[in-house]
Amino acid sequence: MKEKYFILFSVLFAILAAIISSQLGAMEITWTELLFADSIGSKVFFELRIPRILLGILVGGSLAWSGALAQGLFRNPIVDPGLIGITAGCSLFASIAIVLGGFIPFLHTIWSVVIFSFVGGMISCFIIFIFANTKGKTDIESILLSGIAVNSLCFSFIGILSYLASESQLRNLSLWNMGSLGGASWNLLQSFSIFYLLPIFVSPFLVKPLNVLILGEREAGHLGVSVEILKTLMIVLIGISVGSCISLVGNIGFIGLAVPHIVRLAIGQDYRHLLYASYFLGGGLLCFADGICRVIIAPSEIPVGIVSALLGAPFFLNLILKRKQSL
């Protein structure tokens, strides 16, 4: 019963965060203005804020859901999807597009940065999968070690690109790495929503095998779970979800690591509730953080990755403290 109430709390939190966020921004919009389709307030609300709110919920949800999946894959509650190199791959290819975009014709638009970054994440995912696969079996320890190696390699190249970048390119690189939902639009949502809604569609099929996998790979195999297929599927799903998120909004940390852990501390590790609660809580947190980042130094914005960490970290520490006191 406690778990169902927590899922309900997560859904309500996401809805409340969306409502509050819709009223936050450099421009004050009254509810009366929304009745007139040709008013400036109505256009700002429906053409800028609503796509941004939806993108925040979908991206935050996907990142938190991917974190829950990664922690299940490694059977370790402090694992982040970034550990397996996908985030670094996205960042490297986005950096290439930003720094070399002026010299390569097909890399000078925002869409090319997004698509190129997504391709980078998928390539990293593929490389890690190849190195971790031996005779048809995927070794979890090799995934982690390959991820560390890919991370180091990608960040080395990012360092070289940062050294070669001009001042304006360096600023763009820094802003991209701190994350922003400022590029949200209905076109982007239509193009990428399938990736962000993927967790909702596939979660029902993952719940049972993930709960069995908690017991261990050998035990899960004895109980009829196709462990190798499950691990491969999880790597692909994490790659698609995280790759699509990072490529579109930049590097947003904390949510993928902390939100599933917060849910786990609150209601345990039963994946029937963990996946859904993580999705809605992560979506609500990013949406609310984006609203805050639009008003602190309005009309300018603080990168949303900074605000999400500032909001979530104290709550996370409080949960850890309570857990410590209960032991």
Side-chain angles (χ1 to χ4, degrees):
M1 189 60 74
K2 176 186 173 186
E3 293 83 358
K4 290 181 180 176
Y5 281 128
F6 193 85
I7 293 177
L8 181 62
F9 163 77
S10 304
V11 174
L12 291 175
F13 174 71
I15 294 172
L16 187 63
I19 293 172
I20 293 173
S21 183
S22 71
Q23 292 301 305
L24 298 177
M27 180 179 176
E28 186 178 346
I29 302 173
T30 63
W31 295 110
T32 311
E33 284 182 272
L34 302 182
L35 300 174
F36 301 97
D38 57 345
S39 68
I40 295 176
S42 177
K43 288 178 180 174
V44 169
F45 187 82
F46 289 108
E47 296 299 325
L48 296 177
R49 288 194 188 171
I50 295 296
R52 193 163 174 158
I53 288 167
L54 291 175
L55 185 66
I57 290 175
L58 294 173
V59 167
S62 293
L63 288 174
W65 182 86
S66 301
L69 220 56
Q71 291 168 9
L73 176 66
F74 290 97
R75 295 198 297 282
N76 187 330
I78 57 170
V79 167
D80 179 89
L83 268 181
I84 56 178
I86 297 166
T87 305
C90 288
S91 299
L92 174 59
F93 275 64
S95 301
I96 292 172
I98 291 170
V99 176
L100 303 181
F103 304 101
I104 304 174
F106 62 86
L107 282 181
H108 64 280
T109 66
I110 183 63
W111 271 104
S112 62
V113 176
V114 171
I115 294 170
F116 206 56
S117 173
F118 180 69
V119 170
M122 293 300 97
I123 290 174
S124 296
C125 187
F126 181 71
I127 291 172
I128 290 161
F129 183 74
I130 293 296
F131 275 93
N133 197 282
T134 307
K135 296 179 180 178
K137 290 189 175 181
T138 307
D139 180 44
I140 294 297
E141 190 175 325
S142 297
I143 293 176
L144 189 58
L145 293 173
S146 306
I148 292 170
V150 169
N151 271 331
S152 299
L153 197 61
C154 288
F155 285 121
S156 297
F157 282 115
I158 291 171
I160 294 171
L161 288 167
S162 300
Y163 183 77
L164 296 174
S166 65
E167 284 190 16
S168 63
Q169 289 169 339
L170 199 57
R171 179 174 170 76
N172 288 337
L173 274 176
S174 299
L175 289 174
W176 191 89
N177 275 316
M178 288 187 279
S180 172
L181 300 177
S185 69
W186 288 113
N187 284 337
L188 284 178
L189 279 173
Q190 286 172 2
S191 303
F192 281 81
S193 285
I194 184 64
F195 298 121
Y196 304 140
L197 292 173
L198 194 63
I200 299 293
F201 297 134
V202 301
S203 287
F205 304 102
L206 294 172
V207 164
K208 187 177 177 182
L210 279 173
N211 274 341
V212 178
L213 191 62
I214 294 171
L215 301 173
E217 290 188 22
R218 181 177 296 177
E219 289 78 4
H222 288 318
L223 290 170
V225 174
S226 301
V227 176
E228 293 307 317
I229 294 176
L230 178 62
K231 286 192 289 187
T232 305
L233 180 63
M234 288 166 75
I235 293 170
V236 171
L237 289 172
I238 292 170
I240 292 174
S241 290
V242 176
S244 57
C245 292
I246 300 297
S247 61
L248 195 55
V249 303
N251 200 352
I252 296 177
F254 185 78
I255 288 179
L257 169 67
V259 171
H261 201 69
I262 288 171
V263 177
R264 205 182 299 272
L265 286 172
I267 60 173
Q269 57 182 347
D270 187 338
Y271 280 88
R272 286 178 301 172
H273 314 109
L274 179 66
L275 292 177
Y276 296 108
S278 296
Y279 188 89
F280 290 108
L281 193 64
L285 179 62
L286 186 60
C287 178
F288 186 63
D290 182 57
I292 297 293
C293 82
R294 297 199 301 266
V295 295
I296 293 179
I297 54 170
S300 299
E301 295 181 10
I302 291 178
V304 70
I306 296 173
V307 180
S308 63
L310 284 173
L311 287 175
F315 181 62
F316 189 34
L317 288 171
N318 185 46
L319 275 178
I320 294 172
L321 189 63
K322 283 184 177 176
R323 181 172 177 270
K324 188 178 173 183
Q325 290 170 345
S326 68
L327 292 176

